[in-house]
Every structure is written in C-alpha cells, then in structure tokens.
Amino acid sequence: MSFKPLGDRVLVNPLAKEEMSKGGIVLPDTVKEKPQEGKVIAVGVGKFDDGTLVPMEVKVGQTVMFSKYGPTEIKVDGEEMYVLSESDILGVIE
Amino acid sequence: MSFKPLGDRVLVNPLAKEEMSKGGIVLPDTVKEKPQEGKVIAVGVGKFDDGTLVPMEVKVGQTVMFSKYGPTEIKVDGEEMYVLSESDILGVIE
Amino acid sequence: MSFKPLGDRVLVNPLAKEEMSKGGIVLPDTVKEKPQEGKVIAVGVGKFDDGTLVPMEVKVGQTVMFSKYGPTEIKVDGEEMYVLSESDILGVIE
Amino acid sequence: MSFKPLGDRVLVNPLAKEEMSKGGIVLPDTVKEKPQEGKVIAVGVGKFDDGTLVPMEVKVGQTVMFSKYGPTEIKVDGEEMYVLSESDILGVIE
Amino acid sequence: MSFKPLGDRVLVNPLAKEEMSKGGIVLPDTVKEKPQEGKVIAVGVGKFDDGTLVPMEVKVGQTVMFSKYGPTEIKVDGEEMYVLSESDILGVIE
Amino acid sequence: MSFKPLGDRVLVNPLAKEEMSKGGIVLPDTVKEKPQEGKVIAVGVGKFDDGTLVPMEVKVGQTVMFSKYGPTEIKVDGEEMYVLSESDILGVIE
Amino acid sequence: MSFKPLGDRVLVNPLAKEEMSKGGIVLPDTVKEKPQEGKVIAVGVGKFDDGTLVPMEVKVGQTVMFSKYGPTEIKVDGEEMYVLSESDILGVIE
C-alpha cells in the first residue's frame, strides 16, 4: 500500500527521538514531547493559487521540521505517519 | 438514480471496516470509529479559482482517505454515502 | 408572478416527502425533517470571480440535493420555495 | 432632493403590505413583519472586483425581494427608504 | 493647516442638524443623534485592488450620507471633522 | 543606528503635545492622551498586492495623523518611535 | 547541520541583551524581556502571491527587529533560534 498526498500535502515519517538532529522545536517541560522532525515520504502536486499551480518546495527524502499543530496522524501499513500541508513545514534540515 | 456532485465535490462510498487498508486516521479510543476511507463514485467538474476552472485531482474508482469532519452524509438508493469537498481528501491509497 | 434569482442564486421548489428519491441527507431522528431535495425553477446569471463571470452549473428542471442550512424560504404565488446559492447545492440527482 | 447610492448599493422604496405580491420571505409568527419587497429607485455604478468594475444586475423600476438583515433605513424627503448592497437582494419579481 | 486623506479615505465636515436635508439615517429614539450627513472637504487618491488603483467616486463639495460607525473623529484647525473610508459612505445627496 | 522599515511599514517620530497642529484625533477625557501626530522618518518599499508592488503614498518629512491602535512602539537610539503600517495612517497634515 | 527556511520564513539568531542596539520594542516592566533583535542566518525563497513569487526583502547577515509574537523557537545544533515569517519583521537595523 502506498499513500499519495493530494494538493499541497506532504506525507512525513516522524523521526524517533534518538534519530533527531540536535535541533527541534523548543517545548515547555510540561508538554508531552512529540516528534517534530520527519522524513518526507511523498509530496502532492501542489496547490492552485489564483489559477496557477504553485510547485512544491520540499522533496521526497528530505528531513523537515514542522509545527506540532499542523499534522493529521494516519496509519500506512500499520506505521504511524503524518499528513501535513507544506505551509505547516518550517524548514528543511540538511 | 445517480448523484452528480457539483463544483469540487466528490461522492464517496465509505469502506466497511474489514475492507479498509491497514491504514486510516489515528483516533483516540474514546471516539466512535467511522469509516475514513472510501471509494470515489463520482466527481464534480472542479471549482473556479480567480476565474479559472481548477481541474479535479481524484478520479472515479480511487480509494481515498479523508478527515471525518469534512463529509455530509447522504443516501443514494438507500445506501449511505459521503459528499465532500476535494480539499477535505488527504490523499489517495494505492 | 415570476421570481428571477440574482447572482449565483437558484430558486428551488422543494419536493414533498413522497416524491423524493430514495436518497436525501441523513438526519438524526431528533431533527424535524425538511425537504432537502428540490426541483430547480430558475437560476441566476452567475457570480463574478476576479472580474470574470463564473457560469452556473445547475439547470432549470434538474432535481438537486442541498444542505438544509443554505436556503432562505420565500413565497412565490403563495407557494413555499427556496432561494439558495449554487455553492450550497451538493449535487444533481439523475 | 435625490439620493445617489455609491458602489454596488441600491436605494429601494419598501412596498406597503397591501401592494406586495403573493410572495415574500416566510417569517415565523413571532417576528414583527417588515416589508421585504421594494421598488428600485436608484442604483450605484457597481463595485470593483480585482480591478474590474462589476456591472449592476438590478435596474431602476424593478421590484426586488431582499433579506431583512441587509438594508440600512434612511429618510429621503421624509420618506423611509432602504439602502442595501446588491448582494443582499435575493431576486427580481416580474 | 490642511488635511490630505490617504488611500480611499475621505475628510467630511459634518452638517449641523438645521443644515441637514429632510433625510438622514433612521435612528431609534434612545440613540443620541449624531450628524450623519456631511460635506466632502478632501478625498484620497483611492485604494489598490489587485494591483490596480480604484478611482474615488465621491468628489470635493458633495454632500454625503454615511453610517455612524464608520468615521474617526479628528480636529482640523480646532473644528471637528470626520475621516472615513469611501466604502462607509452610503450615497450622495443632490 | 538607523531603522529601515520593511514592506508597507513607516517609522514615525511622534510629535510632542506643544508641537502638534490644532488638530488631532478626538479622544474622550478618560483616555490617556498619546501623540497621534508624527513626523515620517523612514518608509518601506511597499507591499505586494496580487503580485504587484504597491508604491507608498507617504514620504519622509511629512507630518501624519494616525489611529492610536496601529503603531508598535520601538526605541531607536534611545528615542521612542512608532512603526506602523501605511494603512493605519489617516492622512497627511500640510 | 543547517536549517533552510521554507516559503517566506526567516531563520534568526536572537541577539543577547548586551549585543543589542540602543533600540528594541518598548515593553511594560511586567513583561519578561525577550530578545527582539536578531541576526538573519537564512531566508526562504519567498511566498507565492496570486501565482507570482514575491522576493524576500531581508538578507542573510542583516540585524532585524521583530514582534515577539511572531517567532517559533527551534534549536539548531543545540542553539536556540527563531523561525518567523518575513511579514513579522518590523524592519532592518543598520
């Protein structure tokens, strides 16, 4: 089974804590930490803005950092993944 | 009787639980599970954005995953179906 | 007397319960059922989007299904009719 | 004295109850009935949408039906009139 | 001192009650009456809509009627004046 | 040190009370009076509207009147200044 | 590790208090002071507005002043940095 995101959505495989870069979004101690970095598994074709298709910036295989309020959690082949709009991705980690 | 969705709407036949992929949106245990995958039965012609018709991405026959807050439940020939805007569809399952 | 809808509005004659298709929007039992199918009696010329007139999709004589929150109820020659924006029509029943 | 509406506004002379068509917006009995039909006295030149002037659909002399929440009540030569945006007019009665 | 309004703003000199036309916005008796007619003293160059400058409709010297919620009250040479957006002006009194 | 505003922002040096014109925004007596006139020190390059750069109307050296809710107070070389969007400026005093 | 901001986002290294200009946003004494000046470390390619890519105004190496509500705090190589949209940057300090 594979999942092809629609529009400007991106499928992200969240990184386990030990795999993460020495980065990440700073969270207060009281917040249950959730992975906020992930590997891009699939990207949509982009979104139409004023009748023009805006191309996607992120590419499959990149590691991205994103805000925790953006993603919808889904299961693909039993594995937990995130679907989020490209506009919820803060940047790419290289 | 057949139902032709207007604009960017999509008619979806929700999959029964046993037919679903090993996927789906992750729900807390307290939430009454609703089908969130379905087969596309009919699609509208698309929506106008800034005077240009934006073509539909999903096609009849595809299996799609969607957020549970998007669809309106209707009955077509006594069968429960969903009408939802294409923008409420997260992606296509292949 | 005749009623010519303005903009992207549509005049709909709601179907009586016995005339309806084996369809309709699924309502909880506690909700007072209202007709949610109707026959299109008249359509406006369409709405301007970014300086371009977007043509209407629905045509006079079609049976349409619509969300119950959309219509304004008016009386035309003593008969109760609905005026609603085309964007509140879910689809056409054929 | 004459009143020339600006933009997409319309000046409407509300019909007295006995002059109204056998139409009108259906109101619950508890609502104080207000005229919701009126004769168009003057129309603005239209509104700019995306840098393009959208022409007015309604014409002076037409009888129109409108939602009671749209109009501002003004007095012209001591007579009560309504100023409303064309988008608040549901349709034209012929 | 003179005041040049920016954008689509208009500088209006409110009419005293005895100068007003037999018109005006109808107010409930409990509302402290404020002048709602005024003479246009200065107009801005207009507002950009989608990259195009939309020209002003009102002209210096015209008497206009406006909604009382629109204006900001300012003092020009000790005299109380109103600055309001052209879109808050209902129409021109001739 | 100099401060170059971004986009359609304007850097304004608020006038002391005795420097102000016999103008100003009318405030209820209970409101702590704040300077609402100021001298334009620097202007941004403008804002993009629909892919087109909209040029700035105000110029360095002009005295402007502005609504007290618009500005962010900053310190430039220890002096209190205001940064505000051009759309929050009501007009120019000449 | 390096962080490449997406869209119109900017990566900013907040200045320590002693490094700041004699400027800054004026804060009430009760507010815990946070750095509101910073050095631009990386900038995105810009945002699409109506199908056109709007270029970025700020450049790597500039010192910028920004509103404290804009940024998301992230960690890059263990160092606390800010990611913010260019529209949240008030101006450039030179």
Side-chain angles (χ1 to χ4, degrees), chain B:
Chain B
M1 165 195 172
S2 80
F3 181 90
K4 194 179 134 266
L6 278 199
D8 69 337
R9 287 190 186 84
V10 177
L11 180 70
V12 168
N13 192 357
L15 290 188
K17 231 176 153 173
E18 58 276 15
E19 296 169 300
M20 282 202 250
S21 67
K22 276 173 195 150
I25 294 175
V26 180
L27 294 173
D29 293 341
T30 52
V31 174
K32 191 181 153 284
E33 252 173 88
K34 287 202 171 187
Q36 309 215 258
E37 294 179 31
K39 198 158 193 161
V40 176
I41 302 301
V43 299
V45 292
K47 207 167 76 172
F48 277 83
D49 179 42
D50 246 343
T52 313
L53 184 68
V54 176
M56 300 293 280
E57 257 192 275
V58 296
K59 288 176 184 31
V60 169
Q62 286 181 330
T63 301
V64 293
M65 200 180 281
F66 46 91
S67 143
K68 68 178 166 147
Y69 299 111
T72 301
E73 299 178 34
I74 68 167
K75 269 194 173 160
V76 178
D77 289 335
E79 211 176 337
E80 199 168 305
M81 299 247 180
Y82 288 172
V83 182
L84 64 169
S85 181
E86 195 190 50
S87 63
D88 290 320
I89 297 180
L90 296 170
V92 175
I93 298 169
E94 283 162 353

Side-chain angles (χ1 to χ4, degrees), chain D residues 59-70:
Chain D
K59 288 177 185 26
V60 169
Q62 286 181 329
T63 301
V64 293
M65 200 181 280
F66 46 90
S67 145
K68 69 179 164 143
Y69 298 112

Side-chain angles (χ1 to χ4, degrees), chain G residues 36-55:
Chain G
Q36 309 215 258
E37 294 180 31
K39 199 160 192 158
V40 176
I41 303 300
V43 298
V45 292
K47 206 167 77 171
F48 278 83
D49 179 42
D50 247 344
T52 313
L53 184 67
V54 176

Side-chain angles (χ1 to χ4, degrees), chain D residues 2 4 7 9 50-51 75 77-78, chain E residues 23-24 49-50 57 87 92 94:
Chain D
S2 81
K4 192 178 135 268
R9 288 191 185 82
D50 245 344
K75 268 194 174 159
D77 289 334
Chain E
D49 179 41
D50 246 344
E57 258 192 275
S87 62
V92 175
E94 283 163 351

